[in-house]
């Protein structure tokens, strides 16, 4: 059995599919993956014996700017990515029995699977990405926000915006494959039975008529890498520090500094993760350490709290470690959703977007560092599953078989 996996995005988009690939291999499948051509992704896939079919431009270079590209540039780059997918996916899927994709950017994938006559599975990493009257669509860079608070209307407008972006390009390629046009690109990509690779304790799917969602649990692998000696020594030298990191995103220049200042003001040591923004604290003192990429699974159980951007993977790992969180959502994709979940579950604090006030920051840290918050976070962490990728792999093998 052969399976092609496909996504386009940062590490948070790629790593869950790596977990699925490893679990599929354990069941005897041969796995390939379409992903961005960044060197770190190539190394990661080579390390688990998965062949990479690179698609599109490197993601890290696209994320290097301090602001988003213009709406016109985003429009062009999105359609160029669709063209690139139609160039690469047909050869990548040759001989495969199934195509599993993650993310709305996989516009070409269902058409390629349809032309090849193989099973297609769309996956989301957060419930907020799938249409439901229980929540609004996530913010999409470069697209206007609807001027209404009604969720059903907002989802209707979202479908119209997706069509305006992709319909002409997609249907042009479908015609060349001898396939009929689609009139709702978003729902075509999502399919009638999408999978939700999210933990049901953190982000359960709200049952919605007309959409048969299969929630498998989040996809991840154990990461037992030991911590670097310098970091271990810092942890051993005092009370648990507060971790501050924004992953692959680039926060406003003052956010990391203000977070560090607030942590210190409340009497805690601090760890700053460089991330893709290459954050660093120029005035680094004995109570502050800047670190590179490390195992969050090994680190988070040893910190007092985790300050982050609201990425699905960071939210999950911090929750599983049983530590409080302070989420500073950068208004991208599912970041605000995970911030709202942390607040709703009372396992930390969520700031209202990336704009901080001194009072809101102080209150957020006091809330997260309170003994009651830690107790709730620890109790919730005990209920989070770690078998989502295995569940998904078995479902796929059974469906193909």
């Amino acid at each position: 059995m052969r399976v092609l996996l496909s996504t386009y995005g940062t590490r948070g988009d790629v790593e869950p599919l790596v977990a699925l690939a490893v679990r599929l291999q354990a069941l005897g499948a041969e796995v390939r993956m379409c992903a961005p051509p960044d060197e770190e992704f190539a190394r990661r896939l080579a390390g688990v014996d998965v062949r990479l079919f690179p698609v599109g431009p490197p993601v890290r270079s696209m994320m290097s700017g301090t602001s988003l590209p213009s709406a016109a540039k985003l429009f062009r780059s999105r359609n160029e990515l669709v063209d690139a997918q139609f160039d690469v996916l047909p050869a990548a899927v040759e001989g495969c029995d199934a195509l599993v994709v993650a993310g709305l950017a996989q516009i070409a994938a269902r058409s390629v699977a349809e032309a090849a006559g193989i099973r297609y599975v769309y996956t989301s990493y957060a419930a907020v990405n799938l249409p439901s009257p229980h929540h609004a669509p996530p913010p999409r860079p470069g697209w206007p926000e609807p001027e209404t608070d009604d969720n059903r209307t907002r989802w209707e407008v979202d479908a119209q915006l997706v069509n305006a972006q992709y319909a002409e390009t997609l249907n042009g390629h479908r015609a060349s494959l001898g396939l009929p046009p689609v009139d709702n690109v978003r729902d075509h990509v999502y399919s009638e039975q999408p999978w939700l690779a999210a933990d049901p304790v953190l982000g359960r799917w709200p049952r919605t008529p007309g959409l048969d969602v299969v929630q498998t649990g989040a996809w991840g692998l154990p990461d037992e890498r030991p911590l670097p000696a310098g970091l271990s020594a810092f942890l051993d030298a005092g009370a648990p520090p507060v971790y501050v990191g924004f992953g692959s995103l680039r926060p406003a220049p003052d956010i990391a500094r203000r977070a560090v200042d607030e942590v210190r003001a409340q009497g805690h040591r601090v760890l700053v993760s460089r991330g893709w923004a290459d954050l660093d604290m120029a005035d680094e003192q004995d109570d502050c350490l800047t670190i590179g990429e490390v195992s969050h699974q090994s680190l988070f159980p040893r910190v007092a709290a985790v300050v982050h951007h609201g990425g699905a993977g960071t939210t999950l790992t911090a929750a599983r470690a049983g530590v409080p969180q302070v989420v500073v959502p950068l208004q991208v994709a599912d970041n605000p959703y995970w911030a709202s979940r942390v607040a709703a579950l009372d396992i930390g604090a969520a700031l209202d977007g990336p704009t901080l006030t001194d009072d809101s920051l102080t209150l957020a840290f006091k809330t997260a560092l309170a003994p009651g918050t830690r107790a709730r976070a620890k109790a919730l962490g005990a209920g989070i599953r770690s078998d989502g990728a295995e569940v998904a792999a078995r479902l796929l093998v059974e469906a193909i078989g």
Side-chain angles (χ1 to χ4, degrees):
M1 180 178 68
R2 295 189 182 94
V3 178
L4 176 65
L5 311 179
S6 183
T7 193
Y8 188 84
T10 64
R11 181 179 177 183
D13 299 286
V14 173
E15 196 63 31
L17 287 184
V18 172
L20 179 62
V22 170
R23 298 309 182 200
L24 284 168
Q25 288 171 330
L27 297 176
E30 176 192 318
V31 185
R32 309 166 180 173
M33 189 183 300
C34 289
D38 298 70
E39 183 179 345
E40 63 190 90
F41 300 149
R43 289 197 306 268
R44 181 70 172 113
L45 293 175
V48 293
D49 197 26
V50 172
R51 181 181 176 186
L52 170 64
F53 287 81
V55 179
V59 169
R60 189 156 189 161
S61 61
M62 293 175 62
M63 302 288 288
S64 61
T66 57
S67 61
L68 288 171
S70 67
K73 186 173 182 179
L74 284 169
F75 186 92
R76 289 194 302 272
S77 63
R78 283 167 173 152
N79 282 327
E80 288 169 356
L81 181 59
V82 176
D83 292 336
Q85 289 169 356
F86 274 108
D87 287 340
V88 174
L89 263 65
V93 84
E94 187 174 348
C96 289
D97 302 289
L99 172 53
V100 180
V101 306
L104 178 60
Q106 299 299 300
I107 300 298
R110 187 174 183 180
S111 299
V112 171
E114 187 178 345
I118 64 173
R119 187 173 185 84
Y120 167 82
V121 177
Y122 173 83
T123 307
S124 173
Y125 299 145
V128 72
N129 295 318
L130 300 174
S132 172
H134 298 287
H135 52 248
R140 304 193 194 277
W143 293 357
E145 285 291 306
E147 297 180 358
T148 176
D149 292 329
D150 179 70
N151 288 340
R152 293 182 188 275
T153 302
R154 290 174 70 90
W155 279 109
E156 290 171 2
V157 173
D158 181 72
Q160 294 166 11
L161 291 170
V162 174
N163 270 357
Q165 170 75 66
Y166 294 115
E168 182 177 355
T169 301
L170 173 62
N171 285 326
H173 283 287
R174 286 180 63 84
S176 68
L177 293 173
L179 301 173
V182 298
D183 58 10
N184 186 323
V185 175
R186 186 198 65 201
D187 291 358
H188 161 80
V189 172
Y190 287 165
S191 80
E192 298 74 27
Q193 192 180 61
W195 287 8
L196 176 57
D199 187 84
V201 172
L202 279 181
R204 180 174 293 279
W205 170 249
R207 292 194 177 276
T208 301
L211 199 59
D212 182 18
V213 174
V214 177
Q215 186 160 13
T216 63
W219 299 350
L221 293 172
D223 184 358
E224 299 174 347
R225 290 174 296 162
L227 298 175
L231 173 55
S232 294
F234 179 82
L235 293 169
D236 291 339
V242 172
Y243 169 95
V244 178
F246 297 92
S248 59
L249 299 184
R250 185 176 294 272
D254 67 329
I255 285 182
R257 166 57 60 193
R258 292 175 67 186
V260 169
D261 290 345
E262 185 60 41
V263 171
R264 284 170 160 167
Q266 298 201 27
H268 287 267
R269 302 189 304 154
V270 60
L271 287 170
V272 177
S273 174
R274 289 189 180 88
W276 281 16
D278 200 24
L279 298 176
D280 201 353
M281 299 297 105
D283 66 342
E284 193 165 323
Q285 302 173 22
D286 291 345
D287 67 343
C288 178
L289 180 68
T290 301
I291 60 175
E293 198 276 322
V294 300
S295 167
H296 285 174
Q297 293 180 27
S298 299
L299 174 61
F300 285 0
R302 301 190 62 183
V303 303
V306 175
V307 182
H308 63 98
H309 58 295
T314 309
T315 304
L316 174 71
T317 306
R320 182 176 288 137
V323 296
Q325 306 180 45
V326 176
V327 187
V328 186
L330 302 185
Q331 303 307 110
V332 177
D334 57 359
N335 293 173
Y337 168 76
W338 290 115
S340 71
R341 294 303 301 151
V342 166
L345 293 166
D346 211 10
I347 57 172
L351 291 152
D352 186 16
T355 302
L356 309 181
T357 66
D358 291 339
D359 289 343
S360 67
L361 196 58
T362 299
L363 179 60
F365 277 100
K366 286 184 176 179
T367 299
L369 295 169
T373 306
R374 173 166 284 277
R376 287 188 295 273
K378 184 176 181 180
L380 181 136
I384 292 181
R385 294 165 43 191
S386 59
D387 64 344
E390 183 176 354
V391 169
R394 292 189 180 279
L395 282 175
L396 185 63
V397 169
E398 291 171 3
I400 294 172

